[in-house]
Amino acid sequence: MGISEEFSKGFEKVRFYLELMGKKIVDIDERNLVMLIEEVVNGDKIPIEIQIAKPGWVVIRSILMSGDEVQKLVGSTHILYRELLRLSFRFPEFNFAMDDSYNIYIVHYIFLGALSFDVFEEEYHAIPAAYQRFKNAVYPEIKRIMEEEQKIEFV
C-alpha cells in the first residue's frame, strides 16, 4: 500500500468517525485531505480543521488568535508566547502551534497507525473544550499579565 493510499484510507476513516459522532462537515478538500467542521459551544462557532498530513498524521486544529491579532501585541508577544508555553506544560490538553502568518492554533495529532474511533473522538472533543477554556479563562489572564507587565490597555 502506497503512502497516498494510506492517507486516503485515513481520510475516509476520519470522515466515517465524524458521521458516527453526528458531526456536520461544512467543507471538504479531498485533494489536500482537509475537512472543516463547525462546532457551536456556548453560542460560539468554533471552526475545526482536520487534515491528513505527512508523514502520516491526523491533525485536528482550531484557530485561537489570528496573526493580525498577534501582531497588534507589538512588544508583548513574548509574554503571550511565554504564557502559552506555561499552559502547555500545566495542561496536557493544550497543544499550541503557530503558522507562518502568526496564527495561533490549539492542535492535536494522532498517528495514522494509532487511529481508532475512541482515540479520534477523545482528541476531537478536546479541541472545543480547550478553545472555550482559552477564550474564557486563559486569554483574559494573558491580557491581564500583559497589561501589568507592559502597561498596555486592551479595548
Side-chain angles (χ1 to χ4, degrees), residues 17-114:
Y17 292 164
L18 289 167
E19 288 173 11
L20 284 177
M21 293 165 59
K23 303 299 176 187
K24 182 180 177 198
I25 300 169
V26 295
D27 193 26
I28 294 179
D29 178 353
E30 292 196 23
R31 184 171 169 244
N32 293 305
L33 302 175
V34 177
M35 291 176 243
L36 184 65
I37 298 90
E38 190 174 83
E39 285 286 332
V40 178
V41 179
N42 297 332
D44 290 338
K45 290 183 179 179
I46 302 170
I48 298 177
E49 181 183 278
I50 302 172
Q51 179 179 23
I52 308 300
K54 291 180 181 176
W57 294 94
V58 176
V59 181
I60 309 169
R61 65 180 156 235
S62 184
I63 191 165
L64 292 174
M65 293 180 69
S66 71
D68 291 339
E69 194 177 355
V70 171
Q71 290 179 335
K72 287 179 186 173
L73 303 176
V74 177
S76 296
T77 53
H78 69 284
I79 297 169
L80 173 67
Y81 301 146
R82 180 190 70 205
E83 294 307 310
L84 291 176
L85 285 170
R86 285 181 177 170
L87 285 170
S88 289
F89 183 78
R90 284 186 286 192
F91 301 102
E93 72 273 21
F94 278 53
N95 299 297
F96 300 102
M98 182 172 59
D99 65 16
D100 293 336
S101 299
Y102 300 99
N103 297 309
I104 295 177
Y105 298 86
I106 186 77
V107 63
H108 286 278
Y109 303 95
I110 305 169
F111 182 64
L112 270 177

Side-chain angles (χ1 to χ4, degrees), residues 86-150:
R86 285 181 177 170
L87 285 170
S88 289
F89 183 78
R90 284 186 286 192
F91 301 102
E93 72 273 21
F94 278 53
N95 299 297
F96 300 102
M98 182 172 59
D99 65 16
D100 293 336
S101 299
Y102 300 99
N103 297 309
I104 295 177
Y105 298 86
I106 186 77
V107 63
H108 286 278
Y109 303 95
I110 305 169
F111 182 64
L112 270 177
L115 182 60
S116 68
F117 179 72
D118 291 341
V119 170
F120 178 79
E121 184 179 39
E122 181 178 334
E123 297 297 333
Y124 178 90
H125 287 299
I127 296 288
Y131 179 99
Q132 282 296 114
R133 188 171 189 174
F134 179 85
K135 291 293 185 179
N136 295 334
V138 173
Y139 189 57
E141 179 64 12
I142 289 172
K143 288 193 324 191
R144 186 193 62 73
I145 291 167
M146 285 193 276
E147 287 173 354
E148 283 180 8
E149 290 190 20
Q150 299 291 315

